[in-house]
Amino acid sequence: MRIKNMIKKATVAALTAVMILAPIVNIKAASSDVIDTSKTGSITIHKYDMTAAKQGGVNLDNFTSTGKQNTAAEAALEKYAIKGVEFSYLRVGDVEQQSENGKIQMIYELPTALQQILGLASSDAAKTEGSKTYFTSQIINDKLAQALEDNTATKDKLEAYMGQSGTAMDETNANGVTSKDKLPLGLYLIVETKAPENVTYTTNPWFVQLPSTDSNGDDWFYDVICYPKNETGNPTLDKRVRNNPDQDNVTTANADKLADFTSARNEYKYQSTVTASKAERLDYQFISKLPHITSSTTYLSTYTFDDKMAKGMTYSKDAVIAIYENRDAADSTNVNNVDKSGAIAVWKSSDTDPKFTATYGKSGDDSTMKIEMTKAGLNELNKKYSDKYIMVYYTAKVNTDDSVVLGDKGNPNDVSLTWKRTSINYYDILKDESIVYSYGYDLTKKFSDGKGDPTKVKFVVQNKSDNYYLVATGSNGVYQVTGKSATEADATQFSPSSTGKLVINGIEADEYGFTETHSDAGYSLLKKEVIVKITETKANITPTEANITGIQSKSDTDSTANDGVPNGAALKNDVTVQTTAASATVDNTKATMTKQDESNNAYVNMEITNQKQFMLPMTGGAGSYLLIIAGVVAAGCGMMILRRNKRQPQK
């Protein structure tokens, strides 16, 4: 019995001991207070557009980075994910625990090349063991922060170092995520090595320790999640046109002598639309503010302008490029005086080492011009001209044939800018346009008795706004404007066809005086000139804007493209034009304007009737009959007097 009690007590004691010890064993098995060197780690990176997030009202101060997943941040920043970012990683060394003379601390190995980039000296080392040199995290962090104060130079060095020694991770996907697992434990350097077109400021390089200590300081974790910041921005594009002042000898000094200084001042000012006569030379420019460039990762790999001219215009093939600190400096500049405009740099395609190429061609009926930066040009843009203004100047001439569209449809000139950075599969496109408007006259010549010969009639037409006369070529009553004359003597004498039609094609919207200089015999000339005024078509042109996170697509049909709109939705990537129709008056009375094909308000309709002259007496003509009648009347009166005298009695 005693033996049974002893066995029973021993069994209870053993079970009690097992129950007490079991949780202790479990805790030790799951404990993360010390590093498990048999494990591997992983690094996951979420890439978001913090610039767009701020613009969207996200308060970034609400989020902190701990190395662990932050579901609240991911939910708030989901639509600002950036696709196409490449990060590279490099295991730079071991992580050791140093214990010397009773002093214990964590130390980290760094290779010599990285020490030099960060400016670490041998005196900064915590330990040197053979070819390995170790530093404390405090020293490494301080030196990295100090080195990055110059930002671009250190970033360039680290990016180049990673290009030689690091391993690229997959580009971030449509959710802005990339990751790498099964990584050996140790200290890693992470550098952003490729960026899509809208990234302007890459994340500063950073170190990751695998495993990392929890933010509460409680344990180690092996899967590190990072939320690095990016700043983004896009270039701008603005297309403008003006009448060429050189061809009209207009300068600031003599502009006040013109009939209408306000009209002259606007006419020779760059703007989105202009009105022009045929044969005029026009100054064109497109202005682009270059995007921010911080280091080699944000270098531009493509910066190309594609220009498309309406078929009524012809390129002069004289494009030049100028770089400016600000856009205002270029407002009075054209191809001819760009060398004297105060530009930082002037590029010409004829330069020994050209910075751009200009390629002209045909696309259907429309002329095209491609301005493409060469390797030398991109190198200069990337290293010197971040945030500067690049301006392309060229001239074009309005044709003198029927290719010129008259009226509200106008003659558009479209330009697009395509740019890429180092992540070359990702791009964006901006578009803008300018429009040239021209008009015409459709005059019907009549005679009061319907018998006159319209071909005997002649007009000269003077532009009263700019004080010149029209010069044109034509026949059978149809004319194409070909130039200008300062004097009436050299002006074209416009004559209607035998049916009385006079059509003048290609005039700018201004005030004109029609003076009839000849009429058919027997018909009166007009008392004074007819004043015709055309008010040009007004166009409000809205260029495209880069989407908040760019198009960022490998192809236009890529359904995973993060373009700032839901997949399948249409991109708003077209210029919008809202127009106010042209109008005209004849002698201050509203006139009718008619179409040219599909273009409204192309021609001002006019009708001029010449009246028959009053008949005057002429020898052998009507005057002779009057004399005869007068003689007969006088003779008759004389005979009546004689008869009366005979009847009276003689005294």
Side-chain angles (χ1 to χ4, degrees), residues 519-575:
S519 185
D520 195 9
Y523 296 90
S524 297
L525 290 169
L526 296 178
K527 176 183 178 181
K528 59 182 180 180
E529 63 182 352
V530 178
I531 300 299
V532 183
K533 185 175 183 179
I534 302 175
T535 301
E536 68 194 89
T537 311
K538 301 294 183 184
N540 183 17
I541 301 174
T542 304
T544 61
E545 293 183 4
N547 292 286
I548 264 183
T549 52
I551 290 179
Q552 297 178 344
S553 177
K554 293 182 180 180
S555 71
D556 293 333
T557 58
D558 183 357
S559 62
T560 65
N562 183 9
D563 49 30
V565 298
N567 287 338
L571 286 173
K572 296 179 179 178
N573 203 33
D574 290 316
V575 175

Side-chain angles (χ1 to χ4, degrees), residues 223-245:
D223 300 308
V224 177
I225 301 177
C226 304
Y227 299 90
K229 296 179 180 180
N230 256 142
E231 293 182 14
T232 60
N234 293 301
T236 62
L237 181 64
D238 185 15
K239 181 69 190 253
R240 304 193 299 175
V241 61
R242 72 173 184 177
N243 296 85
N244 183 284

Side-chain angles (χ1 to χ4, degrees), residues 284 310 312-313 403-406 409-413 434-438:
Y284 282 90
M313 318 287 291
S403 62
V404 179
V405 175
L406 307 183
K409 188 176 181 180
N411 301 271
N413 174 210
S434 60
I435 304 176
V436 177
Y437 293 105
S438 193

Side-chain angles (χ1 to χ4, degrees), residues 445 447 452-458 495-501 520:
K445 183 64 179 177
F447 297 92
D453 182 358
T455 63
K456 304 295 185 183
V457 177
K458 290 182 174 26
S495 183
S497 68
S498 59
T499 62
K501 273 291 183 182
D520 195 9

